Amino acid sequence: MAFLEDYQRELKRQSRHGRCLHYSNGDRCNEVVSAHSIQKRGQLNLIAEDGHVYRLNADFSILEKTKGFPSLKKTGVNRASTFAGYCKYHDNELFEPIDNFPLGPEREQIALYAYRSLCREFFVKENAVKVLAKMKDHPELDESSRRFLSALLIGHSLGLEGLKHHKSIFDTALSGSNFEQFEFTYFTSRSPCSVQLSGLLYPDYDFEGNHLQDLGNNETPWDLITFFTAPVDEGWAFGFGWHVSSNRSCVQFMQSLAQRVANGEKVEDMLLRFSLSCCENHAIRISWWDGLHELSRAAVMERMYVMMHPSVPVSSRYLAAGCEGIANWQYEYVHTTLRAAG
Ligand SMILES: [Zn+2]
């Protein structure tokens, strides 16, 4: 089908169109590099088998064949999670404290992980807007497909506007080294890791199903939280990081997680549920996935399906239950800038 081929070609063209998203891009920029949004040395290599990991395959052509159901695709670690979003000079200079040192309870490191998640999403979203704007008038489209692409374009454009707002806040904070403006909570683990990721979310409901903010209201900017995995001294960590301007939703979001843990729910289950429901940028250990029970795999795929199809209604309790007993790793410690409740 010529439309799908044209769409894929255009998407490829945009994603190869490198640009430097560093806050002081300009004169000092040199060649754009293919940067890993999930670090290769300390993270992807931890879970790679024969140099490969599984990645979510959200290609339009695949979705056509599988009736919208996502699938996983073996991907070489050199290509997994890369985006052409920084020049070599700025990539090396800015991310030195996280690329060459394990994560510790340092706000500067959190700010950098958060910034990388934000820039990657910005890059992907900007590409999607450009591709949709071009493809919505493709001569092969019928009226209903054209309307569908136009609606997608509106959604992505709104998302991009939100990201521009947050990027300008991050740019200002980072260029002034105002790292105290970043908050975090992260959990460390010494178990073998099977899922690595980076991403961000406008949180709508917390882990107890309470409403946080109205994503139907475009008048005021939405609060934003970023999340990522990272190497630590002994093992790895799953972290959340956000700018204080998003405290209103993010603090309640993190407190609801703490409350559930206090009530006896396993944090491993909650973070896996969150990862599958809110992120499309993961890398998954192949033998772990292949060894999962069929029912567990079905539960995971169901989550990813809902995440990839914004038109499928989501329960307010989507982070409150589901996917229990699939994560076979343990978190041992938590580091947080939040004060204990009460
Ligand atoms: Zn640059």
Side-chain angles (χ1 to χ4, degrees), residues 51-71:
H52 286 75
V53 293
Y54 277 137
R55 298 264 298 159
L56 184 61
N57 187 2
D59 258 343
F60 251 38
S61 50
I62 291 291
L63 295 180
E64 272 267 294
K65 282 186 211 139
T66 58
K67 298 194 166 59
F69 251 83
S71 56

Side-chain angles (χ1 to χ4, degrees), residues 19-32 85-91:
R19 58 261 193 200
C20 182
L21 297 173
H22 187 275
Y23 51 81
S24 56
N25 59 357
D27 293 347
R28 307 191 87 157
C29 288
N30 52 13
E31 81 205 86
V32 169
Y86 303 108
C87 75
K88 194 171 188 174
Y89 172 77
H90 283 126
D91 187 49

Side-chain angles (χ1 to χ4, degrees), residues 262-322:
N263 291 345
E265 207 194 338
K266 288 180 69 179
V267 69
E268 292 82 6
D269 288 342
M270 281 191 287
L271 294 183
L272 183 65
R273 181 188 307 143
F274 171 84
S275 305
L276 300 170
S277 309
C278 305
C279 181
E280 38 63 63
N281 183 32
H282 346 73
I284 297 173
R285 183 191 291 275
I286 291 171
S287 62
W288 176 75
W289 175 260
D290 288 347
L292 283 182
H293 191 279
E294 199 181 318
L295 289 176
S296 299
R297 287 210 293 256
V300 169
M301 282 316 202
E302 178 69 32
R303 286 278 160 169
M304 290 185 174
Y305 174 80
V306 173
M307 178 260 301
M308 286 169 55
H309 294 273
S311 56
V312 176
V314 174
S315 150
S316 61
R317 295 185 56 78
Y318 78 106
L319 290 179

